[in-house]
Amino acid sequence: MRIERTFSDPQAIARAIVAVAAAATIGWTTGNPLAGAMLPVGAFICSIGTLLSPVWHRAANASAMAVAFSAMALLGALVHSSALLFLTSLAVFAFIAGLCRTFGIAPGIRGCLAVIGLMITGDMAPDLHEGLIMAGWMSAGTALAVGTQLLPPYGLRYPAQRRTLSALYRALARASGASGASMPTQPFIAARHALGTLPRSTRPAAAALFGLLGTAEQLRRTMESVGWMNRTTGPTPHDDDVSQVLTDISRTVSTGRVQDTAATVWERLDRWAQSSSAASAERLVALLREAQRLGLLATNNRIGDAFEPNAEVPGLYSGTSVLARTASRLRGELNPHAHLFRHGVRLAVGVVIGELVGRGIGTWGGWGLASHGFWVALTTMLVLFPDYGHTMARGWGRSVGAILGGLLAWALSLADWSHGELAVASVALAAVALLTLRTGQLMLNLWLTAWLVFLIHEVGGFPAPTAWARAADTVVGAALAMAIFGLWPTWSTHRVPDVLSEWLRIFDRLLPEILTGYTAVGVGDPLAIDELRSTSRQIREQLHATIAQVESEPAHRRSVWNNDQLIQIQAEVDQAARYAALLSEHRPTTPPEAIPEFAELTDPVHELVGALARAAAGAHPVPRGTLRAAVDGVLDRAREQHPQQPSAEHARRRALDLCSEMTDTLENLAGIIATARR
């Protein structure tokens, strides 16, 4: 029931309102009631798609939404005459919409919005001819929404990518003073995803943005190294200066206007780097200067080939294409045991049941619209989410909002409205609905229900009490979605062992790759390490989200670990990933820094971390101390070697200590996994 104070981009909202206003105006001038209803609906739904966390250019995003919605509306008109074809199509495309959650919440909601086009014409059109006319008017409305995306102001290129990079550098600025703390992972994942959606042909023009991401990766590792050493030496006195530089870079990237950092800040940082005995301090300042240079490059809308970031962002800038990566992620979910596959099946079944229940309800004693279950099915589809918390929150929020919106629409329908007044009132209600899009389900559905019910009643000439039927349909659809989740749940509580096991399997591949890089200079595959670390971050983010959802679920009492143990698991996983990042960052650069003894660790580490992954999934636990016993002898022999150069000795000692502490972390994780209640 929470109401959030979160609003979309004001310019994006303004364009959406202009599209709806233009659609209503055209519908009013035609004098055609059907055009007056369908044009704003098409413009409104397409505009919603442009407000949901876009990662493409706004015109491309709106065009994709318009094509998908229009195609679904046309299909609905074609299958309208056959209930079997309509329900089959509805199930298939609802399943596809559920799979769209593979790419995030926003793509999943966009998929559901597209399916609404199928439901409108397939459910509400009286015949094929009228259905095609409805689809045509809605398509014209989506075209208006696309056209408004071409209106000024135009701003900088790659706005979504700039937003994520700006948020990334702000996150680094906040974390710069937390010595020894783990850096955030979500901003890196969001930035990589946003840049990864750019087609390869357009990437040279965004080269500086890719470079900023690569530099942020290196800054993260270097800052973690400084923070790790500060556990004994205390926090650096220049944390505020580092934070100021990162904040200025963030503002430069987001606004396209240079935010100069004061010269005195750079002077203090240079003196610190020169006086510090740690190479990480000098490297940190050098990376800050490089990030500042790239930020200046990014202020130019025509960057061209000014920067070639292949080395800084291995595997992303010149890696696999967007289509190949999309297909790869989808293949991972096309498994009957996959979480989102089951969600897609559940969504398909739920929407079909919602449609049948809506048709079975009939007219609510003359107050509803006969022979269709559109509103019940729509509510079921928009409420049913992959997790318990979102499903229940959306169910209650939409139900209460629909009741309040129905009351408002009923009150408005008591007055006599002229055709022009109706158009103005319709635009006003749609504008408020767009403004409250991201403030919570209660506020959104209040204004959305009021707008749609008011529009349908006034244009269609239905009696005022039908407002109550719309609210009742929403309550039924929300209750149905919550009941379906309760009867056919996908509990995050039960997913924790699987997600933890998946992360350990990735870590099982990553750690030997990193250790191999210490056996000699230049050994190891940086591209493989980068890809594995990227995958590790994504799975850790899934683990964090899954653990966060556990506490609100009724099934948490049957969790194999209690809440305290789940928090410990999350902390140990983050700590292990942090040590891996530090080891990866400080691979040997000169022969004396190499640790050939690490070659003896790759096989036992691979075997034992793999066994730990299997234990997390339910196999026999790994006895505590097993990994420590395999590692200690190798580390002791490596410590007996003393190179003559002090810098090489320091680098070796740091790597050995990191390896030892990582072993302690994995041993702690093994101990927690062994306590699982099976």
Side-chain angles (χ1 to χ4, degrees):
M1 303 295 288
R2 183 177 60 198
I3 298 175
E4 302 174 359
R5 298 179 61 186
T6 304
F7 294 93
S8 301
D9 180 2
Q11 293 180 3
I13 294 176
R15 289 189 177 91
I17 293 174
V18 168
V20 174
T25 302
I26 294 173
W28 173 68
T29 56
T30 61
N32 184 338
L34 193 60
M38 295 297 105
L39 270 168
V41 167
F44 181 83
I45 293 180
C46 185
S47 296
I48 288 179
T50 66
L51 299 179
L52 296 170
S53 304
V55 293
W56 297 342
H57 185 276
R58 59 177 183 266
N61 187 45
S63 298
M65 187 68 218
V67 169
F69 181 80
S70 301
M72 289 292 99
L74 176 60
L75 177 63
L78 295 175
V79 301
H80 164 77
S81 58
S82 171
L84 179 61
L85 279 177
F86 170 64
L87 293 175
T88 302
S89 301
L90 185 60
V92 169
F93 286 102
F95 171 74
I96 294 174
L99 282 185
C100 287
R101 284 297 302 268
T102 304
F103 311 107
I105 293 178
I109 295 177
R110 288 194 191 98
C112 292
L113 292 175
V115 177
I116 290 175
L118 169 67
M119 298 167 67
I120 291 174
T121 53
D123 204 349
M124 300 180 67
D127 53 46
L128 175 61
H129 178 69
E130 287 292 319
L132 292 175
I133 293 175
M134 290 171 64
W137 283 121
M138 286 192 292
S139 297
T142 64
L144 290 173
V146 174
T148 57
Q149 307 307 312
L150 304 177
L151 297 175
Y154 298 111
L156 295 168
R157 294 180 71 183
Y158 313 115
Q161 287 71 24
R162 290 177 182 275
R163 278 196 302 272
T164 57
L165 283 171
S166 177
L168 170 56
Y169 275 86
R170 283 199 307 272
L172 287 174
R174 288 192 296 268
S176 61
S179 299
S182 178
M183 295 290 175
T185 59
Q186 178 55 37
F188 285 92
I189 294 172
R192 274 184 167 265
H193 174 67
L195 287 168
T197 58
L198 294 177
R200 275 195 274 189
S201 60
T202 66
R203 291 179 185 180
L209 301 181
F210 282 90
L212 281 165
L213 174 58
T215 305
E217 293 273 10
Q218 297 176 67
L219 277 167
R220 178 179 186 252
R221 298 167 194 168
T222 306
M223 289 165 65
E224 284 180 331
S225 177
V226 172
W228 177 77
M229 291 183 295
N230 285 339
R231 291 182 303 169
T232 56
T233 61
T236 169
H238 298 297
D239 286 338
D240 291 340
D241 293 334
V242 173
S243 178
Q244 182 61 52
V245 172
L246 292 168
T247 301
D248 290 339
I249 294 170
S250 171
R251 292 172 179 166
T252 298
V253 173
S254 63
T255 63
R257 295 187 296 271
V258 178
Q259 303 289 324
D260 287 322
T261 303
T264 54
V265 172
W266 285 112
E267 290 172 2
R268 288 195 297 268
L269 288 173
D270 288 335
R271 285 197 300 270
W272 169 60
Q274 293 168 6
S275 62
S276 176
S277 59
S280 298
E282 185 176 354
R283 176 169 171 76
L284 178 60
V285 175
L287 288 171
L288 289 173
R289 289 194 178 277
E290 176 65 5
Q292 185 191 48
R293 183 183 76 85
L294 293 170
L296 295 177
L297 275 178
T299 60
N300 185 358
N301 255 341
R302 302 184 62 84
I303 299 171
D305 296 320
F307 180 71
E308 184 65 27
N310 285 308
E312 284 75 7
V313 198
L316 182 63
Y317 180 78
S318 59
T320 55
S321 66
V322 178
L323 290 177
R325 214 178 354 247
T326 300
S328 175
R329 294 181 67 176
L330 275 177
R331 281 196 301 270
E333 294 297 334
L334 288 176
N335 179 342
H337 300 290
H339 177 57
L340 292 180
F341 184 94
R342 288 182 289 170
H343 167 65
V345 174
R346 181 176 55 198
L347 189 64
V349 173
V351 171
V352 170
I353 292 176
E355 176 68 24
L356 295 175
V357 168
R359 293 188 179 199
I361 288 173
T363 64
W364 288 105
W367 283 8
L369 303 179
S371 302
H372 80 87
F374 165 73
W375 213 277
V376 176
L378 179 147
T379 304
T380 301
M381 181 174 63
L382 294 179
V383 168
L384 198 52
F385 262 50
D387 60 277
Y388 173 84
H390 276 98
T391 298
M392 297 301 147
R394 293 174 72 86
W396 285 109
R398 290 189 77 88
S399 297
V400 175
I403 293 171
L404 297 177
L407 282 170
L408 178 58
W410 173 69
L412 291 173
S413 64
L414 295 177
D416 292 327
W417 298 85
S418 68
H419 197 54
E421 292 171 342
L422 175 63
V424 173
S426 173
V427 171
L429 289 172
V432 178
L434 291 167
L435 285 168
T436 57
L437 179 66
R438 299 182 64 187
T439 60
Q441 289 297 304
L442 190 154
M443 289 297 295
L444 168 63
N445 218 45
L446 189 159
W447 297 105
L448 186 59
T449 301
W451 174 60
L452 291 175
V453 170
F454 177 71
L455 187 66
I456 291 172
H457 294 169
E458 294 298 324
V459 173
F462 295 105
T466 42
W468 300 109
R470 299 285 67 73
D473 283 348
T474 299
V475 172
V476 170
L480 180 61
M482 293 188 286
I484 289 173
F485 191 98
L487 295 172
W488 189 0
T490 49
W491 298 119
S492 297
T493 301
H494 299 160
R495 290 186 63 231
V496 172
D498 293 334
V499 179
L500 176 59
S501 177
E502 185 179 359
W503 178 81
L504 284 167
R505 286 195 295 271
I506 294 298
F507 202 66
D508 175 32
R509 295 165 55 196
L510 171 63
L511 195 51
E513 194 76 43
I514 293 174
L515 294 175
T516 301
Y518 274 83
T519 57
V521 177
V523 175
D525 186 353
L527 287 174
I529 291 175
D530 181 79
E531 287 296 325
L532 288 169
R533 292 191 66 238
S534 177
T535 306
S536 170
R537 277 193 298 269
Q538 293 180 20
I539 298 175
R540 277 195 296 131
E541 188 64 24
Q542 292 179 25
L543 182 64
H544 287 196
T546 304
I547 290 176
Q549 294 162 5
V550 167
E551 191 172 357
S552 65
E553 294 183 345
H556 79 278
R557 296 180 182 84
R558 290 184 284 142
S559 172
V560 296
W561 297 292
N562 60 38
N563 289 340
D564 291 338
Q565 289 170 330
L566 290 174
I567 293 172
Q568 291 174 3
I569 286 173
Q570 185 171 304
E572 298 297 346
V573 165
D574 287 345
Q575 191 77 318
R578 178 169 169 265
Y579 288 141
L582 291 171
L583 282 169
S584 176
E585 175 66 19
H586 296 292
R587 290 192 299 273
T589 56
T590 61
E593 295 178 359
I595 308 176
E597 292 82 0
F598 274 7
E600 303 176 38
L601 289 178
T602 55
D603 286 341
V605 164
H606 171 68
E607 180 181 346
L608 292 171
V609 177
L612 198 57
R614 293 188 293 274
H620 293 293
V622 178
R624 190 159 187 175
T626 305
L627 184 61
R628 171 57 67 189
V631 168
D632 277 351
V634 176
L635 295 184
D636 290 342
R637 288 197 302 275
R639 286 193 174 96
E640 294 174 357
Q641 307 298 323
H642 298 286
Q644 295 180 350
Q645 297 91 333
S647 60
E649 173 65 19
H650 173 76
R652 285 172 56 88
R653 185 171 65 251
R654 176 181 57 209
L656 293 170
D657 289 345
L658 281 170
C659 189
S660 178
E661 299 219 9
M662 179 184 289
T663 302
D664 288 338
T665 299
L666 292 174
E667 287 285 0
N668 293 338
L669 192 56
I672 300 171
I673 290 174
T675 64
R677 302 188 302 272
R678 299 299 180 186

